[in-house]
Amino acid sequence: MSSILIKAGTIVTVNNNGDILNGFSLAVENGKITKIDKTENFSEDVFDVVYDYSNYVIIPGFVQTHVHLCQTLFRGLADDLELLDWLRKHIFPYEFSHDEESLRASAKLGIYELLTGGTTTILDMGTMNHQQVVFDELISSGIRAFAGKCMIDENDIFPDFKEDTKKSIEESYSLAREFHNSANGRIKYAFAPRFVLSCSEKLLIETREIQKDFAGSLYHTHSSENKGEIKAVKEKTGMENIEYFNSIGVLGNKTILAHGIHVNEKEIGILKETDTKISHCPSANLKLASGIANIPRYLVENISVSLGADGPPCNNNLSMFTEMRLASLIQKPIHGPTSMRAETVFRLATIEGAKALGIEDEIGSIEEGKKADLVALDLNNPEQPLIVDKSNIYSAIIYSSSSKHVKEVFVDGKHLVSNGKSLVYDKDDIFHKGKKELNKLLKRVANK
Ligand SMILES: [Zn+2]
């Protein structure tokens, strides 16, 4: 790969000191940041390519630790419902009706939105069938991802959508063998039992065992999202959700739980002791009327919190800007105006996401030796602060910016978005193909 010089206006490093650098540039070689120095100390002619982003703010790419690419086609088709009805009436029947082509179209639309919105790394909960297609698309798109086949072997909510325990485990194992650490380590495997209500205890426990065979892989599931859900979990297991996970030994620093809204004191202690990670999805939590997770408390307890948009039908966007803004605002009426400050939220969206995934040595901040997963933002617009300096740069990003301000995106030093446009996907093409596949899928749903 060629050597690149990126001339930056401002660099928000998200390093340990929280350095914000003005008048600096970045050298990138073989996908890694090799040097960060004052712009005048670089000589441009030794680089193969020079990008002049001196009007832009360069930030680390966002890390979303809970998304469902397979659901992008269903955006706007499952609104104004609570979790269990939302799954029963729409999401499970739709996911069940995916074929390879509809799943491919869904993944493309999701990855397009994520990349053009500045998200460079995701943890995706896949779907039960055809998961190979999602991996193919993750690999070819250039995004960084952890993903895995969604595992469901019990399903009282929508009984058709489940499979044999052994098949689920064997297929997950073979996908992990094929895709964990593929694309030069850009793609990793995350085992994905859906949630307690759709998984047998045998599945939950055996999946944990096989996950340990793949160093650097993750265990990704949902927990404690909705009151009806935790009531049903208690009926099934006799315990609260996180207590139950702890009792069967599936928690730990490789486990990421989406949501963690309805938890008791004992469960907070368990999360802390086991170093289990919480992925906070504020839009989805509000839209499904699930509740507001006590994120300030988790942070006080040093429990890992990162952010995700969850699925397009429960959000209905995949924008990290929306999640950051909401993560900050929803806590303020409860915990006061200084809770969830802009800088705190920005760290959750970047370095804390990287830590949750266990790849903080590689991504999550702009530092020499790290991978060049970079985003250039244009903060020079009438809807943004007129003066942006070190004192309010996080505010400008969290409270006044959106995906439309994302101009340039790089993953592993590869240029994926230029001037706000995807260099990977043709926007019209994926839109029309998605529409066609959705219509076919809805016919399959109606005929079942
Ligand atoms: Zn989810």
Side-chain angles (χ1 to χ4, degrees):
M1 193 181 275
S2 55
S3 63
I4 302 169
L5 178 68
I6 296 177
K7 294 160 80 177
T10 300
I11 301 172
V12 180
T13 65
V14 201
N15 64 14
N16 284 337
N17 299 326
D19 288 330
I20 292 165
L21 309 171
N22 287 314
F24 279 63
S25 291
L26 299 163
V28 174
E29 263 171 74
N30 296 322
K32 282 191 176 171
I33 301 165
T34 49
K35 198 168 173 57
I36 304 173
D37 202 350
K38 288 202 166 132
T39 299
E40 68 248 31
N41 293 341
F42 288 101
S43 102
E44 288 188 21
D45 33 325
V46 303
F47 292 93
D48 297 324
V49 191
V50 177
Y51 295 102
D52 185 355
Y53 301 149
S54 46
N55 284 326
Y56 295 157
V57 173
I58 312 286
I59 62 170
F62 295 125
V63 181
Q64 293 207 32
T65 57
H66 185 64
V67 297
H68 297 254
L69 291 175
C70 72
Q71 296 175 4
T72 321
L73 287 191
F74 319 142
R75 186 192 327 254
L77 298 183
D79 297 316
D80 307 330
L81 290 164
E82 276 207 37
L83 176 69
L84 300 181
D85 279 343
W86 179 82
L87 289 171
R88 180 182 300 113
K89 290 181 181 164
H90 298 286
I91 302 306
F92 279 169
Y94 295 166
E95 273 193 45
F96 180 57
S97 299
H98 260 312
D99 65 11
E100 288 193 4
E101 285 315 300
S102 62
L103 184 57
R104 191 183 311 280
S106 192
K108 281 179 198 281
L109 285 162
I111 297 168
Y112 168 86
E113 186 181 358
L114 289 158
L115 283 173
T116 53
T119 293
T120 53
T121 298
I122 55 169
L123 169 56
D124 181 57
M125 175 157 293
T127 189
M128 196 174 84
N129 299 317
H130 321 297
Q131 177 62 24
Q132 158 107 24
V133 167
V134 177
F135 278 107
D136 290 345
E137 212 47 52
L138 290 168
I139 291 170
S140 62
S141 69
I143 199 168
R144 189 178 305 287
F146 284 71
K149 165 194 167 69
C150 180
M151 304 169 83
I152 299 177
D153 70 336
E154 285 181 0
N155 199 339
D156 291 341
I157 300 168
F158 184 73
D160 285 348
F161 192 44
K162 68 175 174 219
E163 64 187 355
D164 178 66
T165 311
K166 194 163 166 261
K167 178 173 181 277
S168 185
I169 291 171
E170 281 176 2
E171 230 181 82
S172 297
Y173 198 90
S174 100
L175 284 166
R177 281 181 59 152
E178 188 171 355
F179 292 108
H180 186 51
N181 286 323
S182 59
N184 260 334
R186 180 164 55 76
I187 304 298
K188 296 188 195 295
Y189 203 82
F191 291 86
R194 186 91 171 214
F195 71 146
V196 172
L197 300 184
S198 67
C199 299
S200 67
E201 190 162 295
K202 182 178 159 65
L203 180 97
L204 292 168
I205 293 172
E206 287 191 10
T207 300
R208 178 62 165 162
E209 288 309 309
I210 58 170
Q211 183 261 321
K212 291 177 190 162
D213 290 351
F214 297 90
S217 71
L218 298 170
Y219 190 95
H220 174 208
T221 186
H222 297 90
S223 182
S224 319
E225 177 175 3
N226 168 283
K227 283 190 180 157
E229 171 211 8
I230 56 168
K231 189 165 165 269
V233 168
K234 199 153 190 184
E235 279 160 15
K236 183 179 175 183
T237 68
M239 283 176 254
E240 298 296 335
N241 206 333
I242 288 168
E243 281 185 81
Y244 172 66
F245 278 145
N246 193 40
S247 76
I248 59 170
V250 303
L251 298 181
N253 69 355
K254 290 292 171 195
T255 298
I256 298 195
L257 304 179
H259 310 306
I261 300 168
H262 303 287
V263 300
N264 64 26
E265 278 302 307
K266 192 174 161 198
E267 291 178 292
I268 292 176
I270 292 170
L271 290 172
K272 193 177 159 132
E273 267 164 43
T274 57
D275 194 19
T276 299
K277 325 290 185 186
I278 292 290
S279 178
H280 177 42
C281 308
S283 294
N285 297 165
L286 294 175
K287 184 157 180 283
L288 293 171
S290 300
I292 296 176
N294 192 344
I295 301 303
R297 175 74 194 281
Y298 286 148
L299 297 181
V300 166
E301 299 289 350
N302 275 324
I303 292 167
S304 161
V305 176
S306 49
L307 301 176
D310 207 346
C314 64
N315 187 310
N316 293 357
N317 302 296
L318 293 174
S319 162
M320 189 55 119
F321 292 93
T322 310
E323 299 316 300
M324 292 191 296
R325 178 180 167 83
L326 276 181
S328 176
L329 299 191
I330 60 174
Q331 303 296 342
K332 292 183 186 294
I334 308 168
H335 300 280
T338 57
S339 62
M340 301 298 280
R341 289 171 188 275
E343 181 176 357
T344 305
V345 174
F346 192 75
R347 294 187 74 88
L348 301 190
T350 52
I351 189 68
E352 292 302 321
K355 285 183 192 167
L357 302 176
I359 52 172
E360 70 273 23
D361 292 342
E362 297 177 36
I363 63 154
S365 61
I366 300 178
E367 297 180 76
E368 290 176 0
K370 283 208 176 179
K371 302 202 173 208
D373 288 10
L374 304 166
V375 171
L377 300 177
D378 181 3
L379 302 187
N380 308 295
N381 299 286
E383 66 274 20
Q384 292 167 315
L386 299 177
I387 298 172
V388 177
D389 59 23
K390 288 182 185 183
S391 72
N392 69 346
I393 194 155
Y394 295 108
S395 150
I397 296 168
I398 309 295
Y399 302 134
S400 303
S401 298
S402 66
S403 296
K404 73 177 181 188
H405 302 116
V406 170
K407 291 294 174 187
E408 311 291 332
V409 177
F410 295 79
V411 175
D412 268 347
K414 198 168 169 212
H415 203 183
L416 301 182
V417 175
S418 172
N419 201 23
K421 293 196 170 47
S422 173
L423 297 174
V424 182
Y425 295 119
D426 182 277
K427 188 171 131 182
D428 294 336
D429 189 47
I430 59 169
F431 180 79
H432 291 298
K433 179 83 175 132
K435 211 167 171 159
K436 197 173 116 201
E437 291 302 329
L438 174 61
N439 280 319
K440 282 160 58 182
L441 181 142
L442 292 174
K443 276 191 196 134
R444 292 196 291 274
V445 174
N447 291 334
K448 266 180 183 148

